[in-house]
């Protein structure tokens, strides 16, 4: 007896680069490849939830309409637990998109989070979709942790940036994994002597907020000035120390690349789609059109291999034992 393979879509973390997931899904749909289930980590959970809710069209239009100003308007600063509370984003999601329980969605969906105190991986497969998304996207240092079932939860990308294992647990025979960070190290391996690019509008706003907080804590400024003084004479004229935000975001990028490589080595998907997104910063949410296009191109590049697996309108279905 044969059956149609269950296709799982594992959407990876990557903050604003996550709009590329929309382009990936669009390209798969155009090729007649319709996932049977979707799971995501961090921004992957956000887009995955919109897809599972049947809201991807409206969600895409909303993302394409974002500007630096509108992105900044979602930011609710709170310098304890994280720079942003994240409640404005989730309340907007609840008001403008349906927030059904995960069990009632149009397709099976799950999100990954990390238990802050134990470091364990948490799979969110029941309850409010918005609450699951909020927990999965709580990037440490940026968003405050989310509370759920008596636990503090933070970004799922800390433990499982591209949740292939979760897709398998949900029953996927074929896992299509979308890795948003595959080429990101090229962004952080530039020669330090090269001038740093100007901050983007949202990044600059966050840096300004952090700077105002540092001004009320003189020891922070003295510490940074002390590091500058340790540089050889003249070096601090050519280089500047990165901001707190740049250090946190750069460190998260490197960490997630390393974790993704390790996890995929032990839990390989059938297909990896890796959009080229190193030119996009973690907070460049207003550049949705670029990210979506990169996602579309990357997915189209993977179509020949997907068809070899028997997926798509122009393929002969691959048989799986029931």
């Amino acid at each position: 007896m044969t059956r149609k393979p269950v296709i799982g879509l594992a959407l990876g973390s990557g903050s604003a680069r996550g709009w590329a997931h929309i382009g990936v899904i669009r390209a798969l749909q155009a090729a007649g490849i319709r996932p049977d289930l979707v799971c995501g980590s961090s921004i992957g959970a956000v887009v995955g939830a919109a897809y599972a809710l049947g809201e991807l069209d409206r969600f895409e239009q909303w993302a394409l309409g974002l500007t630096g100003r509108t992105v900044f308007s979602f930011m609710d600063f709170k310098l304890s637990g994280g720079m942003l509370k994240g409640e404005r984003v989730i309340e907007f999601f609840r008001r403008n998109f349906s927030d059904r329980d995960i069990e009632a969605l149009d397709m099976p969906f799950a999100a990954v989070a990390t238990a802050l105190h134990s470091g364990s991986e948490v799979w969110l497969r029941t309850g409010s979709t918005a609450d699951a998304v909020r927990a999965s996207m709580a990037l440490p240092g940026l968003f405050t942790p989310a509370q759920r079932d008596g636990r503090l939860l933070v970004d799922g990308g800390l433990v499982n940036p591209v949740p292939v294992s979760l897709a398998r647990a949900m029953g996927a025979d074929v896992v299509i994994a979308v890795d948003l960070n595959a080429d990101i190290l090229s962004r952080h391996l530039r020669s330090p002597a090269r001038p740093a690019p100007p901050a983007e509008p949202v990044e600059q706003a966050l840096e300004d907020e952090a700077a105002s907080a540092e001004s009320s804590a003189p020891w922070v400024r003295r510490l940074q000035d002390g590091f500058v003084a340790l540089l050889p004479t003249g070096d601090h004229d050519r280089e500047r120390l990165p901001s707190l935000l740049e250090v946190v975001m750069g460190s998260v990028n490197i960490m997630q690349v390393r974790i993704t490589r390790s996890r995929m080595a032990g839990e390989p998907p059938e297909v990896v789609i890796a959009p080229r997104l190193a030119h996009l910063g973690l907070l460049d949410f207003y550049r949705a059109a670029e990210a979506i296009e990169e996602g579309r191109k990357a997915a189209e590049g993977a179509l020949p291999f997907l068809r070899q697996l028997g997926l798509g309108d122009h393929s002969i279905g691959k048989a799986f034992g029931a």
Side-chain angles (χ1 to χ4, degrees), residues 266-283:
E267 303 161 343
E270 276 65 37
V271 180
V272 177
I273 297 175
R276 299 184 64 83
L277 300 165
H279 61 291
L280 295 180
L282 283 178
L283 298 175

Side-chain angles (χ1 to χ4, degrees), residues 3-18:
R3 64 179 173 86
K4 177 182 177 294
V6 176
I7 303 171
L9 188 59
L11 303 180
S13 59
S15 199
R17 294 189 291 274

